[in-house]
Amino acid sequence: PRGIAVNGYVLINGEKMSKSKGNFIPILFALEKHSADSLRFVLAMNSFSGTEDINVEYSRIEKIEEMLNDWLNFVKENYNKGIEAERYIDKWFENVLRKALKEVEESYEKLDYRSVINKWFEIENQFKWYKQRAINVSRKIVNEYIKTRSIIVYPIVPSLISKIFEIIKEKIEWPEIKEVDEKIVRSEEYVKRLLEDLKEVIRLSRKEKISEIKII
């Protein structure tokens, strides 16, 4: 064998599965109530490559189904929408997506599916920051965001992603990972931290009216 995998107990909603508790869930029964994609997402979200107990949060499956459906609707409503632009903030988010692809590829090599799911959520948060900074989003960047965020979970939720790539009329293939400009990525992180610091200064100085802050 090329390797041996060892894991602890598989827990359901924080409790060890057992016949006496009746908290085990047969796969066929689960598939009658939920989609295969949502079940695969739950398992991936709670997987762990080490020897710790795996806690399958089956109670969250309905929220996950709703979330996956929201992503499908987002794609339908936003693909090919936006302005023609190539600004600093567009380059920043483009590099964020490149870095995410690189990290996800490494996670798949290690069979670390939970890290893939975490990156899927992280990219969404970074897109929210991008929208806040860009005001008018770039069509090119929105399309890149949709393709990247979809392709990274294709091995986990293949039915949903196949449907999405049919909608956007793109071929499903793992993209070539381009070089990441770490300087641009770090510079925007600096802007984020600076903004957080300024908000904290204002919060702590409520009694005094601040008219100006000098950044050195």
Side-chain angles (χ1 to χ4, degrees):
R2 292 174 60 191
I4 297 172
V6 180
N7 64 269
Y9 287 114
V10 176
L11 310 176
I12 294 290
N13 300 325
E15 293 186 335
K16 188 178 77 171
M17 284 193 294
S18 69
K19 290 181 180 179
S20 61
K21 289 184 178 181
N23 63 342
F24 60 91
I25 303 163
I27 290 293
L28 290 177
F29 173 77
L31 285 170
E32 288 175 2
K33 298 183 66 178
H34 306 288
S35 69
D37 273 354
S38 59
L39 288 167
R40 290 163 67 103
F41 194 96
V42 167
L43 292 171
M45 185 174 68
N46 297 283
S47 67
F48 190 71
S49 57
T51 56
E52 292 184 8
D53 293 345
I54 298 169
N55 179 30
V56 179
E57 296 180 89
Y58 187 74
S59 58
R60 297 182 60 187
I61 196 163
E62 289 180 0
K63 288 184 179 179
I64 287 167
E65 286 183 326
E66 184 181 336
M67 179 191 63
L68 293 175
N69 191 56
D70 286 345
W71 177 239
L72 176 63
N73 290 332
F74 176 90
V75 172
K76 290 177 179 177
E77 294 168 9
N78 292 277
Y79 190 73
N80 254 344
K81 301 285 177 66
I83 64 171
E84 295 295 332
E86 192 172 350
R87 302 154 295 185
Y88 155 77
I89 197 64
D90 300 317
K91 291 179 181 178
W92 168 75
F93 193 62
E94 188 175 36
N95 277 276
V96 164
L97 294 175
R98 289 178 185 178
K99 189 172 183 179
L101 274 171
K102 184 180 179 183
E103 291 173 352
V104 165
E105 188 173 70
E106 291 169 358
S107 295
Y108 273 126
E109 289 292 332
K110 299 173 184 174
L111 304 181
D112 186 358
Y113 305 116
R114 186 162 67 178
S115 291
V116 174
I117 297 297
N118 288 340
K119 185 60 64 177
W120 195 75
F121 286 116
E122 184 183 315
I123 291 173
E124 182 183 33
N125 290 331
Q126 288 169 317
F127 180 69
K128 289 176 182 176
W129 174 264
Y130 164 72
K131 283 202 304 180
Q132 181 183 334
R133 292 272 280 131
I135 301 175
N136 295 311
V137 297
S138 158
R139 181 187 297 113
K140 175 189 172 185
I141 295 300
V142 168
N143 290 355
E144 201 63 35
Y145 167 60
I146 286 171
K147 286 188 284 186
T148 301
R149 193 167 187 246
S150 296
I151 199 69
I152 65 174
V153 289
Y154 175 60
I156 297 170
V157 285
S159 297
L160 173 69
I161 304 307
S162 295
K163 188 183 294 183
I164 284 173
F165 273 79
E166 283 177 15
I167 291 169
I168 66 176
K169 295 180 174 59
E170 290 276 352
K171 185 180 178 182
I172 298 177
E173 57 183 2
W174 191 258
E176 179 187 351
I177 299 176
K178 299 177 182 177
E179 188 176 348
V180 179
D181 188 334
E182 290 288 352
K183 186 177 179 181
I184 289 180
V185 174
R186 288 197 303 271
S187 64
E188 191 62 18
E189 292 303 317
Y190 170 76
V191 172
K192 285 183 183 180
R193 291 196 303 271
L194 179 62
L195 183 60
E196 289 168 2
D197 289 344
L198 292 175
K199 286 179 178 178
E200 185 64 12
V201 168
I202 293 169
R203 188 186 70 82
L204 295 172
S205 307
R206 283 180 180 174
K207 293 180 181 179
E208 299 178 22
K209 194 171 182 180
I210 297 176
S211 59
E212 181 180 342
I213 294 179
K214 182 179 286 188
I215 300 169
I216 301 174

